[in-house]
Amino acid sequence: MNLASSIVHNLRVLQSRHGYLPRKELVDLADLLGTPLHRLQEVASCFPHFRLEGAGGAPNTPPQLHVEICKDMACHLRGADKNYDALHAWAEAQGKTAKDIEVHYVSCLGRCDRAPAMRFNEHCYLGRGPEETCELVSETFAKGHLPPCDWDATLPRHQKSWKIDIYEGKTPDKRYRAVREFLRAYPSADYAMDEEKKQYQVSLIQDLEAAALLGMGGAGAPAFKKWSDVLHADGGEGDDYAKYIVCNADESEPATFKDRELLIRTPHIVLEGIILAGLLVNAKRGYVYIRHEYEEAIDSMRRAIREAEAMRVCGERILGYYRSFPVEVFVSPGGYICGEQTALLEAMEDRRAEPRNRPPEIPTNGLYNKPTLLSNVETFAWVPAIFDRGGLWYRNQGRDPATPAPSPVNLAATVTLDSVRQRFGGFRLFSISGDVAKPGVYEVPIGITLRELIWEYCGGMRHGRAFKAVAPSGPSGGFLPARIPTKLLPDRFVKENVLPGDDEVDVLDIPLDLNHYRSGGLMLGAGLVVYADGTDMVDQALNSLDFYRRESCGKCVPCRLGSQQLVQLTAEIIEGNVGAGRFLHLEPELQQLFRTMEMTAICGLGAVAFQPLSTLLKYFRPELEAYLKRNGG
Amino acid sequence: MSTDSAKTPLPFDDEEETLFARDVSGRLIRVRDAERRDYDQLVSVTFHLGANDSLSVKVPKAVPTTDSQGVPLRDKDGSTVPRATTIYDASGQFISDRLMNEYKSLIELFKVNQDGRGQNLVLKYREKYEKPKDRDLLPEQMVTREFIDGLRRDFRSEIPWLAMNVGGTDPEWPQKKVALLERFADMLDEPHPIPVLCHQDHMNPVAVCRVCAVAVARVDRTGKMKAARKLVPACQHRVEQGMHVHFPVSETREGKDCLSSIRMLLMMLMARNLHDDAPHDPLRSTRTLVMKPGQPIGPPMTGVYRNELAALARRFGVGNIGSLLTKTPSRPERRDNSSQVILVDHNNCILCNRCVRACNEVKPFKIIGRTGKGTRAAIGFDLNQPMADSNCVSCGECMVSCPTGALTFKTPVAREFWLEGAAPEVNVSAGELMRTNPLFRDMSYSYLKWNEGSWSRRVLKDGEILCQQGDYGATAFILEKGKFELLVGDKIVGTRPAEDLILGEMACINNQPRSATIRARGPSQVLEIRRNILYNLQRNRIARELLDQVYRRRALESLFRKGKLFQGLTEEQNRFCSEFLRDRVDMLHVSEGETICRQGEEGDACYVVRVGHVKVIREHEQHSVVVDYLRPGAYFGEISLLSDLPEVRKRLPKGVGVYQRTATCVALDNVEVCRIRRKDFLDLITKKPEIRQPLIDHAVGILSTDIVRMRAYDVPLKDFVDQGIYQGQKLLVLDLESCTRCDECTKACVHSHEDGHNRLTREGLRFGNFLVATSCRSCHDPKCLVGCPVDAIHRSSETGSLAIRIDNHCIGCGLCSHNCPFGNIKMSDPDGNGPIKAKAVTCDLCESVSGAPGPMCVHACPHDAAHRPSADQFWQMVYGRGIESAAQAEPTVEV
């Protein structure tokens, strides 16, 4: 990747120089890069980070103070709207114009643990109420500079140590043991082939297989499979040869911020995972794709790369072997859609972050159409520990079923100890936010229940309020109520997991395991938002639907238009324009719209964008009906 | 198939891989660009129409890429460019195969019922279409499709004839037969089973509208049918071995799933982008579309444009947007009215990206892109400027591509010009033209509407002259009614009925003078069309096929009339030969620089040049010499037609038994040749043995003179041909011995033209003592004329004039300037008025200068150093002798 000719990079340089992208500069840039003007417009207008206009539209300067308020999930729950209204009122009262201050909403900033989150001229101010916010702004204008901001690194850590960091408590020179060991075992990239399995015999892949490590981005495909796919993929011959490693640290899904913590706390572990991947598949280069709002994470990763280069475990001629693997940070221009793997690659290739039609798949046709191993930060981060301690070590880290859960679990008695062990193995990180006492990132054994997570780790519910609902995968999985009627769960799941006679399952008792959730037709992600009693779920659903509308790239029809229609419908229900009679009439079409979006959208965003509303219909019908009834027939 | 797996939602950032991501052995497939070898690799795809009704078709993994005219693209070696076969392509094959099966069973029934007409039908169609016309162009599967296309064109008119009862034993047969025939005719009329909105055959698929969604499945290793989790876009998804497809016409659960999804997509698009004032298509203006109960949308289709969205909605019975969706009102501020030529109405834009690809891939302008994100996404010009402020040249390609009338014309191209002769003109609207002339039926309505000034219907009385021999006419004539006589001098050389479709197209395409006078015999009617319309007709698949038939026949007639080989045949024999070969020859479209045949190769076909110029090169060991160039009407390689005959073989120069090409032929520009294969020709001789001897006699004669001619070939023509001098009819040459570089010629040029732009530069190539200055040469085949979207550049309409004139309605797109290989067309400076950025300027031989005695550059030269000779005259000036072969009006070479 040549930065000088990269559109995204040049736009960022222009933006930081001028505060926005002046038209004249864009014309010159197009000339310099020899690219049509519309290519710059396409890219710049696709990422909200780029401002195409100065303050108030026409003037030539950006506003003095640019306030961005996160409005998603946890921040919405904690009153982002109040901050927004307060700031607007303040600006009006003080007679400030668009040139002085500009306040607008943005999508999730990844600071859900200190909601509501705001950025003043790209500096974070977290967990501040309306009064405090207005004071901050007054102070800024009075002093002429920003008051001290809330750094991520200052966040108190609820867990003092993480098993993922195998070098905890050790001096930095002890790091990268796994890389050293790997190179000792495999000084060249010629691996022996197991003729029977048609697999390369590399202990690292075998370890990943034994560990049954799943991708931590969400869908949880077995990591070893992806790694061996890239290893087997044809990267070309001679000068044409290339394979790439891309670490997806775009983390823009509301409620998810574990990668931020991993990158700040243990960047060396993430980097070591990337280097191991690069050496294993014989990749040419590695990239860490980090969202631009994670300034500290970007710094931390860049520092880790510099240190690793100084230790010669990364870059040219690693540890003196004839193996090279440079790694660099690619700062994402931002947007939830960049977390979609193919859209991320499009953005890296200087195009609009719009998902590709698949197949082809990334392990064979990824970055620059070359085999690419693209994985989540956490997936890479578990690799050093697994290589160092063996796959079985990880596999056996799951929640020990011998220790009974602290509260009654209505798992069926048919579940044997072995099958539980079989099912739940390993560790993972959860980001948890919303109405819990201690929101944050927790490393937990896979298979613990939500009850344990909230009460054992997060200090219980905030202000001791009652648990009402959970969003188990940011907005993607919709919302689950405290108790799910068994009739809404697949028969097989009920038969295997619910005691006969029970007609409800307590969500708090369902083990937090991806495949277990999936077997119940449910989705489990890395970010959970907990809602306490008294939350208006219809309002929360609208908030999540609006997120998808904002973040749809607009490429395909079902997502672009469908997300808009869903927001319009839900807003009309809240505004009182849709009555019960009309809703009954339109509901079959609504179900068809869900189905159409799921079946025809190009990427997963469009395919889940209706989940907030469909789960509302499924699990919170009475709440919705209260609105409809209020609205009349 | 089971859709159970589809019920479990998956988070989007790490979605599971697609069904056809791996091959059957479980290995992830690395997708590569299609290669030539994929033409030969067949995959089997099964299409399901009902629970127990399916058909497997075999399709090649790749098909040839075509340009916007449907003509296969070729690389520098003359090979077609493969692209991966998609499900959409394969379903076309499915329809063809199904029709073919139906056709065969129909024939079988005719046979069983001893119906003689049915037998005839078999013979007739087999002869006509089953012959693979161009096997190296088209994979075998495509041949069926050609056949079906043939049936589609002609079968309907056969029905009355077939329905008449002849013979047969079953008394109920006549009735049954009619029902069968009607059913078959209906099947022929069925549209492609997969709808598309964002896709066009010549564009790279982007698969954004998703209305082509189909359900796919395959049998996995355990023998279980596994369905893809999502529907896939047929326009973009490649075919894979063992693929099962359900599409919206399938009476299966999966098919219905597709159908209901497509209907929802259409409803969403209608809610957002189909407005009351949306333009509509005149051809399909019979029914009113109702958006909400009781509220009709728009004027009942009296509007103007083909709206593909409205058409699809009608086809799938989507009458309104239902009760769920909210209609987005059409907002005036979403209209960009800035351009004087094109109206951009974002209200109607469905973001199909067709205009984006038209601007960036079909045309080279690269102005249109997508801007904004999500629901705010839109098409944008340059930095999302108003169209008039962007660098758009208003070429109109985006407008032609737009399926929903988001880009529509505002001002029709001015009607100012031309029209030869005195016959009364009748104005015909674009809609009427589409309705009344089948050639135009499938053309882009918006394009026709924009160019309404580019044609005129003319009604002629008996004996009225349509055009005069020797004129440089920039128009062609579509024959609609009556008969037409062709006269060379005073002699009638032929008569053309209206079924001949077209006359005068050669003068229009090649910019040659009319080779004959056309006179109406009896009351007649023609449509006079300008070049841009003719080009567009030829890029339209249906029109092109109709025209190609005519062209093939004419090429053959010309060959038999002029070819030395055939001089010994009688008129009747000639006619038989050309009729026999008519459906067996093919028209090849060859791009500039491509090789048609190569020296040393075995010659197995004869070619007749219909359009363009061909360079003949003789390759020696160290170097190659351009020995000749061929113009339209010329032919080459006729000896190869007979080289298999022993009498001819023994006279062949090398005596190796195989007739090798003695030179290489390369296209100098866009060339169309008619190819006659030896195999077909030998069939002809077998069928008509009496022509054998006269042909052999002439072949032997040609071969003996050939040896003499080969010696004469050593003329150093290379520069002359390579630099395009041979094209010149009015070169501006300066005799450097008398030229004092006083620049009076340039000054005279600037001062004589009102706009003050100079049209010549005293720089250029040198030949001997002469400088060929940079100024319009009035080429025989002016490349500048090709592709002008508004036909603003053409040969002067003054009789006998050679000048290239640029009309005032030039939109300044720069295409002619770009096309002129000699840099002789300048773009004048922008004057800053409106959307018209610049205008093209070129030498008009001072025709526009009133009172000029001829080109002022020559007139003003005080030293008599400036001359405007033709290429042949120039050769004479430099070398003191003529160029024998290049100067031939109709060169004939045996290659």
Side-chain angles (χ1 to χ4, degrees), chain A residues 219 229 352 361 364-365 595, chain B residues 6 14 18 22 30-31 257 372:
Chain A
D229 282 338
R352 287 164 73 81
E361 304 289 340
T364 50
N365 302 69
R595 176 84 183 149
Chain B
D14 197 10
T18 43
R22 288 175 194 273
R30 173 163 166 86
V31 176
D257 204 17

Side-chain angles (χ1 to χ4, degrees), chain B residues 109-127:
Chain B
L109 279 171
F110 270 96
K111 222 185 258 174
V112 169
N113 286 287
Q114 298 173 5
D115 192 322
R117 289 191 190 270
Q119 311 289 338
N120 283 336
L121 181 77
V122 187
L123 289 176
K124 185 168 179 176
Y125 280 95
R126 183 164 296 153
E127 287 238 327

Side-chain angles (χ1 to χ4, degrees), chain A residues 206-375:
Chain A
Q206 287 154 352
D207 274 327
L208 290 175
E209 190 171 2
L213 178 69
L214 301 182
M216 294 297 182
F224 89 93
K225 210 170 158 193
K226 207 190 252 184
W227 288 51
S228 85
D229 282 338
V230 180
L231 175 59
H232 281 90
D234 178 9
E237 301 282 331
D239 286 347
D240 181 45
Y241 177 89
K243 287 185 185 181
Y244 297 101
I245 309 294
V246 179
C247 171
N248 183 352
D250 192 60
E251 195 168 56
S252 300
E253 171 143 297
T256 316
F257 44 92
K258 64 179 173 74
D259 296 344
R260 183 197 78 204
E261 284 300 287
L262 272 173
L263 290 172
I264 292 173
R265 273 175 78 162
T266 62
H268 54 282
I269 288 290
V270 180
L271 182 59
E272 185 165 18
I274 295 170
I275 296 170
L276 284 169
L279 293 174
L280 171 75
V281 306
N282 199 18
K284 204 171 155 190
R285 197 168 263 279
Y287 296 98
V288 192
Y289 185 101
I290 311 180
R291 64 180 301 189
H292 68 89
E293 293 95 337
Y294 280 1
E295 290 90 353
E296 285 169 76
I298 292 168
D299 282 351
S300 156
M301 182 42 95
R302 282 193 170 139
R303 212 165 35 240
I305 293 172
R306 276 200 302 276
E307 280 167 15
E309 279 167 353
M311 291 168 74
R312 302 208 55 192
V313 292
C314 167
E316 302 299 317
R317 296 281 316 268
I318 295 178
L319 297 170
Y321 292 91
Y322 284 97
R323 305 288 303 273
S324 296
F325 181 67
V327 179
E328 63 184 272
V329 170
F330 183 95
V331 180
S332 167
Y336 177 51
I337 193 65
C338 290
E340 204 283 339
Q341 309 181 52
T342 56
L344 181 151
L345 297 181
E346 289 286 296
M348 287 184 76
E349 293 180 20
D350 262 345
R351 288 190 289 271
R352 287 164 73 81
E354 293 179 341
R356 299 173 182 170
N357 280 293
R358 291 163 48 210
E361 304 289 340
I362 295 171
T364 50
N365 302 69
L367 187 63
Y368 308 119
N369 205 26
K370 288 294 182 184
T372 301
L373 175 56
L374 198 162
S375 274

Side-chain angles (χ1 to χ4, degrees), chain B residues 362-433:
Chain B
V362 179
K363 290 280 157 100
F365 299 118
K366 300 188 170 49
I367 303 298
I368 311 182
R370 279 153 74 92
T371 180
K373 179 180 176 182
T375 42
R376 291 207 196 91
I379 58 161
F381 301 87
D382 283 343
L383 293 171
N384 198 21
Q385 288 144 292
M387 194 180 204
D389 295 352
S390 73
N391 292 307
C392 167
V393 298
S394 310
C395 75
E397 188 70 30
C398 54
M399 187 186 68
V400 176
S401 308
C402 181
T404 53
L407 293 155
T408 51
F409 84 98
K410 283 168 73 177
T411 338
V413 168
R415 191 185 189 77
E416 43 155 315
F417 56 102
W418 54 301
L419 292 182
E420 307 148 19
E425 312 165 26
V426 183
N427 287 340
V428 188
S429 76
E432 195 187 337
L433 188 62

Side-chain angles (χ1 to χ4, degrees), chain B residues 768-786:
Chain B
N769 273 332
F770 291 88
L771 173 86
V772 181
T774 308
S775 180
C776 178
R777 301 170 177 176
S778 303
C779 296
H780 282 293
D781 177 18
K783 294 188 180 177
C784 52
L785 269 47
V786 178

Side-chain angles (χ1 to χ4, degrees), chain A residues 27 39 42 70 93 131 136-137 228 234 308 323 410 443 571:
Chain A
V27 173
R39 288 274 295 113
E42 283 195 325
C70 168
E131 292 83 28
L136 280 175
V137 175
S228 85
D234 178 9
R323 305 288 303 273
N410 57 353
E443 184 188 69

Side-chain angles (χ1 to χ4, degrees), chain B residues 47-349:
Chain B
F47 289 90
H48 294 261
L49 270 177
N52 299 311
D53 182 5
S54 66
L55 179 67
S56 292
V57 299
K58 281 210 181 316
V59 288
K61 283 192 91 164
V63 290
T65 313
T66 57
D67 66 5
S68 57
Q69 313 188 22
V71 178
L73 292 176
R74 285 153 178 287
D75 57 19
K76 280 286 164 212
D77 297 332
S79 312
T80 56
V81 184
R83 68 167 173 83
T85 310
T86 63
I87 299 175
Y88 184 74
D89 298 325
S91 63
Q93 186 65 40
F94 158 76
I95 290 297
S96 297
D97 281 13
R98 200 161 66 102
L99 279 169
M100 194 66 151
N101 291 349
E102 195 75 11
Y103 169 73
K104 280 179 187 154
S105 66
L106 194 67
I107 297 302
E108 195 54 37
L109 279 171
F110 270 96
K111 222 185 258 174
V112 169
N113 286 287
Q114 298 173 5
D115 192 322
R117 289 191 190 270
Q119 311 289 338
N120 283 336
L121 181 77
V122 187
L123 289 176
K124 185 168 179 176
Y125 280 95
R126 183 164 296 153
E127 287 238 327
K128 214 164 177 182
Y129 305 113
E130 273 185 29
K131 280 259 177 292
K133 265 191 264 165
D134 197 351
R135 276 204 187 264
D136 28 304
L137 279 191
L138 297 169
E140 202 167 326
Q141 279 60 37
M142 300 297 149
V143 175
T144 331
R145 208 178 301 174
E146 291 250 309
F147 173 66
I148 298 296
D149 284 346
L151 279 180
R152 282 217 172 95
R153 268 199 308 275
D154 301 331
F155 186 79
R156 193 164 275 288
S157 58
E158 305 272 2
I159 290 181
W161 178 79
L162 282 168
M164 276 190 292
N165 201 29
V166 181
T169 44
D170 182 354
E172 282 170 26
W173 170 239
Q175 266 189 337
K176 264 197 232 161
K177 179 163 74 169
V178 171
L180 281 169
L181 286 168
E182 273 175 3
R183 194 177 98 92
F184 187 63
D186 284 349
M187 275 177 81
L188 283 171
D189 282 350
E190 272 173 20
H192 195 288
I194 298 178
V196 282
L197 260 182
C198 70
H199 183 60
Q200 284 184 299
D201 275 347
H202 66 279
M203 291 181 171
N204 289 319
V206 289
V208 296
C209 75
R210 316 304 280 184
V211 303
C212 66
V214 294
V216 291
R218 78 161 158 202
V219 179
D220 69 7
R221 264 183 293 180
T222 62
K224 242 174 70 186
M225 182 73 88
K226 187 160 187 263
R229 239 176 61 80
K230 288 173 152 190
L231 302 179
V232 302
C235 72
Q236 182 268 346
H237 200 292
R238 298 175 171 210
V239 289
E240 297 288 352
Q241 173 61 31
M243 186 179 252
H244 288 255
V245 181
H246 297 250
F247 40 36
V249 293
S250 309
E251 291 286 323
T252 55
R253 191 165 47 81
E254 295 84 355
K256 285 175 186 154
D257 204 17
C258 296
L259 182 63
S260 40
S261 279
I262 290 167
R263 290 167 56 109
M264 178 52 77
L265 290 169
L266 290 173
M267 276 159 70
M268 280 196 266
L269 285 168
M270 286 159 73
R272 174 93 178 182
N273 301 119
L274 192 61
H275 301 288
D276 292 2
D277 51 356
H280 292 294
D281 176 359
L283 275 187
R284 297 168 181 79
S285 59
T286 46
R287 280 162 61 185
T288 304
L289 201 63
V290 179
M291 295 294 285
K292 287 228 163 107
Q295 179 201 345
I297 57 152
M301 306 270 181
T302 50
V304 270
Y305 298 92
R306 174 186 315 249
N307 190 320
E308 293 178 29
L309 174 58
L312 272 191
R314 269 195 298 284
R315 176 174 156 196
F316 286 97
V318 185
N320 58 59
I321 60 166
S323 48
L324 165 70
L325 304 180
T326 311
K327 178 112 187 85
T328 308
S330 169
R331 296 208 314 271
E333 67 271 22
R334 286 174 55 78
R335 274 188 207 120
D336 173 359
N337 216 344
S338 63
S339 160
Q340 287 179 15
V341 183
I342 293 172
L343 171 69
V344 189
D345 190 344
H346 294 286
N347 290 302
N348 299 339
C349 173

